[in-house]
Amino acid sequence: MHRFYIDSSAEGCDEITITGDDVVHITRVLRLGEGDEIIVCDCVGYDCLCKVVRTCKDEVTAKVQSREKNNAEANIDITLYQGVPKGDKLDTVVQKCVELGAVRIVPVAMKRSVAVIKDPAKKAQRLQKIAHEAAKQCGRARVPRVDCVMSFADALSDASGADLRLLPYEAEKMSSIKNVLRQSNDVKNISIFIGPEGGFDPSEVELAKDRGFSVVSMGPRILRTETAPLAAITAVMYELGDW
Amino acid sequence: MHRFYIDSSAEGCDEITITGDDVVHITRVLRLGEGDEIIVCDCVGYDCLCKVVRTCKDEVTAKVQSREKNNAEANIDITLYQGVPKGDKLDTVVQKCVELGAVRIVPVAMKRSVAVIKDPAKKAQRLQKIAHEAAKQCGRARVPRVDCVMSFADALSDASGADLRLLPYEAEKMSSIKNVLRQSNDVKNISIFIGPEGGFDPSEVELAKDRGFSVVSMGPRILRTETAPLAAITAVMYELGDW
């Protein structure tokens, strides 16, 4: 069933009003009308099974049939800091990482990032749309946020509040992500840094180490920049999340 | 460094001769010649650091500098049986699953597979090439095999010898892949079945259950057909493999 997000709580509501881009999507793209069922996910993580009662140009009104907790959000918040890759790889990374359960994705301009994001706001907007669609498709209770591209230094500062900060690095042979995760108790939020195509510059790894990051290996096979975040998020969800 | 595979053991060899398609790749695409270094991976899992000594139209001869065990193969053999998806998703699945460590990939025509592989032999050949390139890129000791498309019934029989057979299913709420993997000891080879875009048909799930498959969940978020195999292989490598 089609899923839509609203910015308010639907607690105690008999009817829900949907406005904005979703109106066109519901009425013109999906051609839904009176009597059709949709799921409206409210801002406090509840899925409302609704029946469309009225549509007009600017809003869709739906009657709430039932309201129940959405359980598709893990008890752990993962923020991915992705080194800007080439081409449309960032699109794929955003889509897949939303499916796998990340709550926030931050593109990071790293030393070896070849691609340059020319219009950061526009790019973030586009990626946010991909995140929105992915969240709908996989049944998330909330839409993960995609930030504008950051510098590596800013990303380090941004991540400083996380309970655990991971940096998977192909040159790391001693410390595995598995050992680090298994030794992590009471972790509520995790930051994961992933290098771009050429990997991290060693100076970036040193800087992150100095700031208390755990530099880890993810097995002996070298993962591509767009594969590594998926593997890292899967590992976290498997060990500490809701798998 | 560029990696090439040969079908023989290089044990005790002073020189290695490379023939076939790789000759064009080495001489014309990469424009390598006398004195350039390459890695030649032999059929018994050793990486030979070599220096090119001669090139001609049909072969490249390289002198072995050193030979050491390649450790990029896990102690667990994973075969992925992937429900045929739409478009070029199979290409992505093959590439990523090789990176993550699968040893064999079998496309399976499932009830809900919309796409039909018109020329199975040609498709397998194309996917095998993708597997070859992915193996080179991520440093594998061997090139995983890609089979021709199979029927669901044939795939079930094909997988019957595996120590553990997993079927991740979005409707499964009780048994998690994590619990199953944690209870699996002495497992050397695993078969993983992944449904196509519309998921498995319930009759396929029942059939697999009857044959002793473990039907498992991979968290509460619905993963796309091309994301699910990556997550499943990561979980296996994390729990039982070489992470």
Side-chain angles (χ1 to χ4, degrees):
Chain A
M1 206 176 301
H2 296 285
R3 170 180 296 270
F4 302 92
Y5 297 92
I6 55 169
D7 292 335
S8 54
S9 167
E11 196 182 351
C13 292
D14 184 44
E15 283 190 353
I16 289 172
T17 305
I18 297 167
T19 56
D21 291 347
D22 282 338
V23 176
V24 172
H25 192 211
I26 292 171
T27 57
R28 295 210 214 152
V29 181
L30 301 172
R31 295 176 175 275
L32 300 179
E34 202 188 320
D36 288 325
E37 288 188 327
I38 57 174
I39 292 169
V40 178
C41 194
D42 74 9
C43 76
V44 288
Y46 279 75
D47 280 352
C48 307
L49 176 65
C50 297
K51 222 169 215 172
V52 174
V53 286
R54 279 185 305 282
T55 65
C56 70
K57 197 172 152 267
D58 298 324
E59 58 182 51
V60 171
T61 309
K63 195 174 166 60
V64 178
Q65 315 278 305
S66 63
R67 181 171 180 263
E68 62 180 32
K69 187 91 186 93
N70 174 308
N71 292 316
E73 296 300 323
N75 49 353
I76 193 153
D77 282 356
I78 302 173
T79 298
L80 171 70
Y81 296 84
Q82 171 73 45
V84 173
K86 290 185 210 165
D88 58 2
K89 284 179 195 162
L90 210 44
D91 298 13
T92 313
V93 167
V94 167
Q95 185 190 67
K96 304 298 171 218
C97 293
V98 169
E99 283 175 61
L100 292 166
V103 299
R104 188 173 158 230
I105 297 155
V106 184
V108 181
M110 297 188 189
K111 281 207 172 156
R112 295 188 181 165
S113 288
V114 176
V116 175
I117 296 178
K118 279 174 194 159
D119 187 338
K122 197 175 162 190
K123 181 75 172 180
Q125 204 179 4
R126 183 184 141 72
L127 293 173
Q128 187 63 62
K129 209 171 167 182
I130 291 171
H132 195 107
E133 289 309 312
K136 279 184 176 181
Q137 192 269 341
C138 71
R140 297 277 302 256
R142 53 174 164 156
V143 180
R145 188 176 113 200
V146 183
D147 282 39
C148 273
V149 63
M150 273 184 201
S151 69
F152 190 76
D154 285 350
L156 285 182
S157 304
D158 190 85
S160 62
D163 299 331
L164 181 62
R165 285 158 293 163
L166 298 174
L167 187 147
Y169 188 41
E170 72 278 9
E172 175 59 43
K173 303 292 175 204
M174 302 299 286
S175 174
S176 77
I177 191 171
K178 183 171 169 175
N179 286 341
V180 170
L181 292 176
R182 293 220 164 149
Q183 285 161 20
S184 299
N185 302 315
D186 289 329
V187 168
K188 290 277 163 259
N189 52 76
I190 296 191
S191 293
I192 302 173
F193 274 54
I194 300 289
E197 277 91 357
F200 290 103
D201 186 88
S203 67
E204 291 173 328
V205 178
E206 286 311 309
L207 210 55
K209 259 188 195 163
D210 289 346
R211 298 285 195 95
F213 277 63
S214 299
V215 177
V216 295
S217 85
M218 294 201 297
R221 292 164 294 280
I222 297 165
L223 301 179
R224 287 175 197 246
T225 181
E226 74 275 20
T227 314
L230 282 57
I233 294 173
T234 299
V236 171
M237 283 300 172
Y238 182 91
E239 187 63 48
L240 303 172
D242 51 7
W243 273 40
Chain B
M1 206 177 300
H2 297 285
R3 170 180 295 270
F4 302 92
Y5 297 92
I6 56 170
D7 292 334
S8 55
S9 167
E11 196 182 351
C13 293
D14 184 44
E15 283 190 351
I16 289 173
T17 305
I18 296 167
T19 56
D21 290 347
D22 282 338
V23 175
V24 172
H25 192 211
I26 293 171
T27 57
R28 295 209 214 153
V29 180
L30 300 173
R31 296 175 176 276
L32 300 179
E34 202 187 320
D36 287 326
E37 288 188 327
I38 57 175
I39 292 170
V40 178
C41 194
D42 72 10
C43 76
V44 289
Y46 278 76
D47 281 352
C48 306
L49 176 64
C50 297
K51 221 169 215 169
V52 174
V53 286
R54 280 187 302 284
T55 65
C56 70
K57 199 171 150 265
D58 299 324
E59 59 183 51
V60 171
T61 308
K63 194 173 168 60
V64 179
Q65 314 279 305
S66 63
R67 181 172 179 261
E68 62 180 32
K69 187 92 185 92
N70 174 309
N71 292 316
E73 296 300 323
N75 49 354
I76 193 152
D77 281 357
I78 302 173
T79 299
L80 170 70
Y81 296 84
Q82 170 73 44
V84 173
K86 291 184 208 166
D88 57 2
K89 284 179 195 162
L90 210 43
D91 298 12
T92 313
V93 167
V94 168
Q95 184 190 66
K96 303 298 171 217
C97 292
V98 167
E99 282 174 63
L100 292 165
V103 299
R104 188 173 157 230
I105 297 155
V106 184
V108 181
M110 298 189 188
K111 280 205 173 158
R112 296 188 182 166
S113 287
V114 176
V116 176
I117 296 177
K118 280 175 193 156
D119 187 338
K122 196 175 162 191
K123 181 76 173 179
Q125 204 180 4
R126 181 184 142 73
L127 293 172
Q128 187 64 63
K129 210 170 167 182
I130 290 171
H132 195 108
E133 289 310 311
K136 279 183 176 181
Q137 192 269 342
C138 70
R140 297 277 303 256
R142 52 174 165 158
V143 180
R145 189 175 112 199
V146 183
D147 282 39
C148 273
V149 62
M150 273 186 199
S151 68
F152 190 76
D154 285 348
L156 285 182
S157 304
D158 190 86
S160 63
D163 299 331
L164 180 62
R165 285 159 292 163
L166 298 174
L167 186 147
Y169 188 40
E170 71 278 8
E172 174 59 44
K173 304 293 176 203
M174 302 299 286
S175 175
S176 78
I177 192 172
K178 183 171 170 174
N179 285 341
V180 171
L181 292 176
R182 292 218 166 151
Q183 284 161 21
S184 300
N185 302 316
D186 290 330
V187 168
K188 289 277 163 260
N189 52 75
I190 295 192
S191 294
I192 302 172
F193 274 53
I194 300 290
E197 275 91 357
F200 290 104
D201 185 90
S203 66
E204 291 172 328
V205 178
E206 285 311 310
L207 211 55
K209 260 188 197 164
D210 289 347
R211 299 284 195 93
F213 276 62
S214 299
V215 177
V216 294
S217 85
M218 294 200 295
R221 291 162 295 280
I222 297 165
L223 302 178
R224 287 175 196 246
T225 181
E226 73 275 20
T227 314
L230 281 56
I233 294 172
T234 300
V236 172
M237 284 299 173
Y238 182 91
E239 187 63 49
L240 303 172
D242 52 7
W243 273 41

